[in-house]
Amino acid sequence: MAPAAQSPLPRRDTRALDDALLSRFEDAGFARLDPPILQPADVFLDLSGESIRRRLYLTTDADGVELCLRPDLTIPVARELLATGMSLPASVSYLGPVFRFRGEGSGEFRQAGVESFGRSDSEAADADILGLGLETCAIYNVPEPQIRLGDVGLFSALLDALPLAPAWRRRLMKDFGQGRLTADITRLGAARPANGAGHAGVLTALAGADPEGAKALVTDLLSIAGITTVGGRSVSEIAARFLEQAALDAGDSVPAETSLLLSRYLSISGDPDAASARIRDLMAEAGLDLSAALERFDRRSGFLTTKGINLPDVAFSTAFGRPLDYYSGMVFELHDPAGRVNGPLVAGGRYDPLMTRLGARQPVPAVGLAAWLERLAVVEGA
């Protein structure tokens, strides 16, 4: 486990804790940034999916543009970076309120965090962010949190190596980390009707057509039928959903060994070194080459050890992901070992696709973390 970078102080007030945390971020080279609280809602809906709509606090401006109170700070920070044309690499920190309906308690809560953009030494940057997360916990008197680690990039590399239709690859990546993969894999291996009868036949025919043309046709048909929204989804989103289902149901099922391999892969857990060895053995047995992704994984493990992290203390799982499809590599959570709060104290990961999806002309490597300050305050004062 990484040694605490500074001695934790007992029972400080909120201002003292904020100052200690921001001071540590500044010492690590992260400049403070405070993006606007009011953000365009479509950015979060596009990147996080329509399911986030019911958790947003929404309004509209005078022109009818849908806006929301920021539900997190990673996307607003990234947007601010692009808007101001900050040079890369850039290291920024934040501390402030976010707004998200949670079903219990206040919909306003405070988050702090850091985001690192543009570093080419990705594995070292990953280790630095995880190390800073551990230091964040130490500031709040949690010097040895439980470390949970996953790797979206490894799962993506496995899907690329398997004989999967593009629609199935997209579905499995979208559902990674959301608890739906078991059902997906069962469906993936199930036999499908070959006669193409009824609605399934129509959708299958459309799925084989030009994607944009098929989507436009279904959208027009729904509009003619007087359908505008269903469950918060627009007609365009409904059409895309129809065509996705058609693509998933079209064609023959994959070989049983493909479904079995996915299940075996997703059952691997343990410390990073042991898990890496098991994955290599499984890939050798299956005749698949994941060497590039595994080399990156092992390099990151090496950098973690240089941060003083004892790898046997790290709980890695191949099934641990993040329910946001712009994550692309390491994901982690730091939990209270005494179980005094629900959910992670600190969480983060690598999200290289985010900046291009926000409009950047070139890919920008990015990794960061967010800290739940109310949870940290509970354990600090316990």
Side-chain angles (χ1 to χ4, degrees), residues 18-332:
D18 288 354
D19 289 346
L21 186 57
L22 289 172
S23 176
R24 179 65 199 105
F25 290 165
E26 183 179 2
D27 290 345
F30 291 86
R32 178 82 180 272
L33 191 65
D34 188 18
I37 287 178
L38 203 59
Q39 296 280 324
D42 62 345
V43 173
F44 296 92
L45 297 172
D46 290 344
L47 291 172
S48 304
E50 278 290 322
S51 61
I52 198 176
R53 178 181 291 273
R54 63 181 180 270
R55 303 174 66 190
L56 296 179
Y57 290 92
L58 295 163
T59 186
T60 55
D61 66 11
D63 296 322
V65 176
E66 199 169 33
L67 305 172
C68 69
L69 301 179
R70 62 190 188 196
D72 71 18
L73 275 153
T74 297
I75 291 174
V77 162
R79 293 185 67 249
E80 187 83 356
L81 186 75
L82 287 172
T84 57
M86 292 177 64
S87 59
L88 298 175
S91 300
V92 297
S93 66
Y94 57 80
L95 191 158
V98 295
F99 307 85
R100 194 185 315 158
F101 181 75
R102 297 185 288 176
E104 78 285 338
S106 172
E108 176 182 349
F109 51 102
R110 298 167 69 246
Q111 279 191 347
V114 298
E115 314 292 346
S116 173
F117 300 97
R119 282 184 59 174
S120 58
D121 54 341
S122 297
E123 293 81 18
D126 288 352
D128 286 345
I129 291 295
L130 180 48
L132 194 55
L134 292 169
E135 294 182 41
T136 297
C137 289
I139 288 171
Y140 287 80
N141 281 337
V142 188
E144 295 187 354
Q146 294 177 345
I147 306 172
R148 300 180 186 176
L149 187 69
D151 196 314
V152 180
L154 266 177
F155 186 63
S156 177
L158 174 59
L159 296 185
D160 285 342
L162 291 173
L164 295 172
W168 265 112
R169 187 190 182 281
R170 289 194 297 271
R171 166 60 70 87
L172 292 169
M173 281 302 304
K174 183 174 70 173
D175 287 352
F176 185 54
Q178 300 195 63
R180 296 198 289 261
L181 280 180
T182 298
D184 285 343
I185 293 169
T186 299
R187 182 180 175 189
L188 177 64
R192 299 180 178 84
N195 59 12
H199 300 314
V202 174
L203 291 176
T204 299
L206 286 172
D210 169 66
E212 290 304 316
K215 182 178 177 181
L217 174 60
V218 176
T219 300
D220 288 345
L221 290 173
L222 292 170
S223 298
I224 291 170
I227 296 172
T228 55
T229 61
V230 175
R233 293 188 175 94
S234 67
V235 290
S236 178
E237 291 159 346
I238 296 168
R241 175 70 171 169
F242 280 169
L243 293 171
E244 179 188 75
Q245 292 302 311
L248 295 177
D249 287 333
D252 298 326
S253 62
V254 300
E257 55 265 27
T258 299
S259 296
L260 178 60
L261 178 65
L262 281 167
S263 296
R264 291 178 63 189
Y265 171 83
L266 292 168
S267 71
I268 293 174
S269 61
D271 72 72
D273 283 346
S276 176
R278 289 182 61 192
I279 295 169
R280 288 180 185 277
D281 289 344
L282 180 60
M283 294 305 108
E285 179 185 336
L288 299 177
D289 182 11
L290 263 61
S291 57
L294 285 164
E295 285 168 7
R296 289 191 293 270
F297 181 89
D298 291 340
R299 278 199 302 273
R300 183 177 61 237
S301 295
F303 281 110
L304 291 177
T305 62
T306 67
K307 304 298 294 185
I309 298 171
N310 184 28
L311 291 184
D313 292 335
V314 178
F316 173 79
S317 171
T318 52
F320 174 41
R322 185 82 72 224
L324 295 168
D325 65 3
Y326 51 80
Y327 277 87
S328 59
M330 173 193 74
V331 291
F332 72 89

